[in-house]
Amino acid sequence: MKKFTLCIATVLLSITFNPMHANAQAPKASNAIEANPAAEEAEARGLLYRLDEIRHMDKSKLSHQEKKNLKGELSTIKKKLSDLNGGIYISGGLLLIIILLIILL
């Protein structure tokens, strides 16, 4: 039983001191106008259309710099899409703690 307790304590401590990546954003001003859902949907559709264009592009004739620029554009588009989608993200450590609590209770 001591080994099991030591293992659980080690896991919890490693999860506790694991560096978490914060999504550091500036706080919104109180008079900021909220984005229209229709405008967000149109922007998302435009970004998806651009992703489709890039996917069907013939990349064999592009120079190294052009490929690098495309890769940067892809990462920017993916980040914008994930910001538009929102959602709830659960870290691995939190998921492990939830599972342990469910098992123990």
Side-chain angles (χ1 to χ4, degrees):
M1 189 66 179
K2 278 187 171 181
K3 286 185 180 182
F4 181 71
T5 307
L6 182 64
C7 288
I8 295 296
T10 306
V11 168
L12 290 177
L13 283 174
S14 67
I15 292 169
T16 303
F17 295 115
N18 189 13
M20 299 292 171
H21 298 286
N23 188 6
Q25 296 178 349
K28 291 184 178 179
S30 60
N31 60 357
I33 299 173
E34 291 296 321
N36 182 344
E40 288 180 355
E41 185 178 327
E43 182 181 357
R45 250 188 271 123
L47 292 173
L48 288 173
Y49 178 74
R50 180 62 182 148
L51 282 175
D52 194 43
E53 272 183 355
I54 292 173
R55 186 180 335 138
H56 288 80
M57 188 183 294
D58 183 21
K59 297 175 199 86
S60 63
K61 297 178 182 178
L62 298 177
S63 68
H64 177 69
Q65 186 64 32
E66 290 171 336
K67 288 180 185 179
K68 188 175 179 181
N69 290 341
L70 272 179
K71 187 182 265 189
E73 184 180 355
L74 282 174
S75 65
T76 305
I77 289 173
K78 287 181 182 181
K79 185 174 181 181
K80 284 182 184 178
L81 283 174
S82 68
D83 288 344
L84 286 175
N85 288 339
I88 298 173
Y89 297 100
I90 299 176
S91 68
L94 180 62
L95 185 62
L96 183 65
I97 290 173
I98 291 171
I99 291 172
L100 285 174
L101 286 175
I102 290 172
I103 290 172
L104 293 174
L105 298 176

